[in-house]
């Protein structure tokens, strides 16, 4: 490894130092997996995305994601950050308005949403959602995430959901309870590893003005105490809402989800849940801001 271009992109926001920071390495084709993990650890961001050539006939890039400690099969905010970087800094808009990433979970197409010649948002279509029962004690989960049993919203089931990674969805009655949560990170990490859970995702319909849902995400099992604004987990949440019949059948529902406010990195996700076909289709869109550009020297 000689000089490697590295970018720090704040995703799901237009403001620097808000949203979810991702490392993006757009020319990673010569890097080994060991080097990628070392770079992700050095950047010490929630996730870093490494782009390389793809052999898939329908893909524009192969993309791999790493937290500071492990490789992750899919990361939403790093996908948004990568697409935004390619469009705004790497000349992709001259080639078209669509980028297809080959990930460990399948192809993720991203649409570049333009208005008056300016990039407004990027929108990724996630893989088919799924939900699964989980045999856990609700009181124990509440204890691990640092809320009370009374804070849980028993109108909604606690389940595992996925659009690439497995997330434990924890329904909470109020935004205040989510903000006040003080997770027992070491114990939560043990429970997540036991069940193959990537993150534990708290959600509430008690959202601030301008949002439909409010969420918070803890991921100690993959080396991230708290993921500020989570494209993968909120996509899984949208799939859960569709598959649990909590959104209207036969229609397209638009949701605005807020996350990151509790830790001073507010972000906004624009989520489309399309139930007009046989299977729900989940699309997650957002903005981004390129905050740092530089080189890593090995």
């Amino acid at each position: 490894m000689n000089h490697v271009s590295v970018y720090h992109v704040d995703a799901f926001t237009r403001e620097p130092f808000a949203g979810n920071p991702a490392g993006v390495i757009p020319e990673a084709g010569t890097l080994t997996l060991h080097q990628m993990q070392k770079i992700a650890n050095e950047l010490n961001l929630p996730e870093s995305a490494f782009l390389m050539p793809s052999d898939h006939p329908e893909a524009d890039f192969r993309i791999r994601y790493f937290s500071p400690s492990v490789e992750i099969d899919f990361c939403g905010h790093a996908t948004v950050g990568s697409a935004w970087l390619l469009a705004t800094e790497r000349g992709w808009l001259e080639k078209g308005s669509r980028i297809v990433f080959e990930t460990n979970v399948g192809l993720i197409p991203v649409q570049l949403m333009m208005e008056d010649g300016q990039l407004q948002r990027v929108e990724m279509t996630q893989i088919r959602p799924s939900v699964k029962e989980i045999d856990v004690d609700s009181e124990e989960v509440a204890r691990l995430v640092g809320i009370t049993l009374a804070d849980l919203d028993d109108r909604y089931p606690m389940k595992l959901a996925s659009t690439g990674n497995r997330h434990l969805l924890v329904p909470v009655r109020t935004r205040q309870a989510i903000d006040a949560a003080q997770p027992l990170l070491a114990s939560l990490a043990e429970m997540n590893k036991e069940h193959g859970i990537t993150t534990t995702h708290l959600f509430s319909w008690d959202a601030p003005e301008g949002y439909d849902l409010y969420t918070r995400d803890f991921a100690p099992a993959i080396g991230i105490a708290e993921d500020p604004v989570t494209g993968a987990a909120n996509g899984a949440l949208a799939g859960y809402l569709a598959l649990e019949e909590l959104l209207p059948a036969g229609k397209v529902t638009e949701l605005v989800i807020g996350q990151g406010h509790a830790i001073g990195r507010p972000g906004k996700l624009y989520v489309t849940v399309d139930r007009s076909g046989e299977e729900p289709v989940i699309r997650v869109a957002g903005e981004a801001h390129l905050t740092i550009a530089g080189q890593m020297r090995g």
Side-chain angles (χ1 to χ4, degrees):
M1 181 180 77
N2 295 315
H3 292 188
V4 178
S5 295
V6 175
Y7 297 85
H8 173 134
V9 185
D10 291 325
F12 297 118
T13 179
R14 276 291 181 108
E15 303 297 325
F17 320 121
N20 200 352
V24 181
I25 296 82
E27 297 171 339
T30 62
L31 298 176
T32 67
L33 294 184
H34 178 72
Q35 288 171 328
M36 293 180 202
Q37 186 64 76
K38 286 289 189 180
I39 291 171
N41 180 265
E42 185 73 10
L43 294 174
N44 199 33
L45 298 172
E47 283 93 5
S48 293
F50 296 80
L51 278 59
M52 59 204 77
S54 173
D55 294 329
H56 195 291
E58 298 177 33
D60 297 300
F61 295 93
R62 175 85 166 95
I63 186 170
R64 300 185 80 150
Y65 312 95
F66 292 81
S67 80
S69 59
V70 296
E71 184 175 8
I72 300 164
D73 287 336
F74 175 63
C75 174
H77 87 276
T79 303
V80 167
S82 297
W84 193 275
L85 176 73
L86 290 170
T88 59
E89 298 288 326
R90 311 287 290 193
W92 190 265
L93 286 175
E94 298 174 6
K95 301 178 183 180
S97 60
R98 189 171 184 263
I99 308 172
V100 179
F101 293 109
E102 178 195 2
T103 76
N104 285 356
V105 301
L107 296 180
I108 302 293
V110 178
Q111 188 68 32
L112 307 176
M113 305 172 76
M114 308 293 294
E115 185 176 313
D116 297 328
Q118 298 294 317
L119 182 63
Q120 299 300 313
R121 298 175 192 165
V122 299
E123 182 181 67
M124 58 184 159
T125 301
Q126 299 187 358
I127 69 169
R128 187 173 66 181
S130 64
V131 295
K132 183 180 178 182
E133 300 284 348
I134 181 171
D135 184 18
V136 291
D137 181 72
S138 295
E139 187 171 4
E140 176 65 4
V141 171
R143 184 185 75 85
L144 291 178
V145 300
I147 62 177
T148 70
L149 183 62
D151 288 326
L152 294 177
D153 193 339
D154 57 10
R155 294 175 299 172
Y156 307 104
M158 188 182 300
K159 287 194 174 183
L160 296 175
S162 175
T163 52
N165 299 323
R166 185 176 292 177
H167 306 274
L168 175 60
L169 301 183
V170 181
V172 181
R173 291 188 180 277
T174 66
R175 173 192 176 190
Q176 288 72 25
I178 289 181
D179 284 346
Q182 296 184 355
L184 305 175
L185 292 172
S187 299
L188 182 61
E190 290 180 9
M191 187 271 282
N192 284 356
K193 289 177 181 178
E194 178 185 350
H195 293 278
I197 296 167
T198 303
T199 79
T200 300
H201 198 63
L202 282 58
F203 73 93
S204 178
W205 290 98
D206 178 31
E209 184 177 355
Y211 299 90
D212 299 297
L213 286 151
Y214 183 71
T215 67
R216 196 171 174 193
D217 193 83
F218 303 113
I222 58 172
I224 306 165
E226 180 164 355
D227 208 10
V229 192
T230 320
N234 283 304
L237 171 60
Y240 157 94
L241 295 174
L243 294 170
E244 293 295 310
E245 302 294 334
L246 298 170
L247 295 176
K251 295 184 179 180
V252 176
T253 301
E254 305 280 351
L255 298 169
V256 180
I257 301 178
Q259 191 184 335
H261 300 67
I263 56 172
R265 296 196 65 100
K268 182 180 289 187
L269 308 97
Y270 302 89
V271 180
T272 301
V273 185
D274 187 345
R275 295 196 64 198
S276 60
E278 292 184 5
E279 299 282 350
V281 176
I282 307 301
R283 298 190 293 271
V284 178
E287 303 161 315
H289 184 278
L290 175 59
T291 304
I292 302 172
Q295 286 191 330
M296 184 166 288
R297 301 179 179 184

